[in-house]
Amino acid sequence: MTVFTTMDSPLGELLLVGEESATAKGGTALVSLSVPEQKRRPTVQDDWTEDADAFAGIARQLRSYFDGKLTRFDIEYVTGGSAFQQRVWKAVDTIPYGTTLSYGEIATLIEAPRAAVRAVGTAIGANPVLVVRPCHRVIGATGALTGYAGGLERKRALLDLEHAHPAA
């Protein structure tokens, strides 16, 4: 069963979508976490059930993160994606709080050719669980903030929260 809720955050109202899971803490695995005006933001479907309680633990972790107290999430999430996207997302999951990597460095981590940098960027742009999977920590080769489905202003806000200050 698909459940959803919304919650206020410094990024605007977050839309959380999940699936029941026997293995997830609280019984809900996160499927999507999106921000207002996000590219490819899911639309609430008629057969989804609104259930804020199902996301109580996830919301608690998000609030703690936004308060600067949590640096690593312990949230089960279920995301599809191609084998390549999953490799990229797994690498993104390893970027520590307060640090950044370039798209090229992600390509190197997954042992993809340097020419795959665009494909890496596309995979990162398709990340369905913003904030929790820290795609905001991926920057351009020069240190410039580039590409973020939630908008560059939100990317900057997340990096500022984490005290990650890339060059440029």
Side-chain angles (χ1 to χ4, degrees), residues 101-163:
L101 290 179
S102 71
Y103 294 92
E105 289 170 318
I106 296 292
T108 299
L109 278 176
I110 66 168
E111 299 179 349
R114 195 76 178 137
V117 170
R118 259 184 217 264
V120 165
T122 299
I124 290 170
N127 172 21
V129 285
L130 296 187
V131 183
V132 174
R133 177 180 291 130
C135 57
H136 59 276
R137 297 179 189 153
V138 183
I139 59 173
T142 64
L145 298 189
T146 59
Y148 186 63
L152 292 182
E153 183 177 298
R154 289 188 180 100
K155 184 172 189 165
R156 166 56 67 199
L158 290 167
L159 292 174
D160 286 349
L161 171 73
E162 296 182 9
H163 306 290

Side-chain angles (χ1 to χ4, degrees), residues 25-58:
K25 292 179 182 178
T28 302
L30 192 63
V31 172
S32 173
L33 189 160
S34 56
V35 298
E37 296 95 38
Q38 175 182 325
K39 296 175 188 174
R40 295 178 292 281
R41 178 180 167 114
T43 303
V44 174
Q45 303 296 307
D46 291 338
D47 61 339
W48 293 3
T49 302
E50 188 166 11
D51 185 355
D53 291 341
F55 295 94
I58 294 169

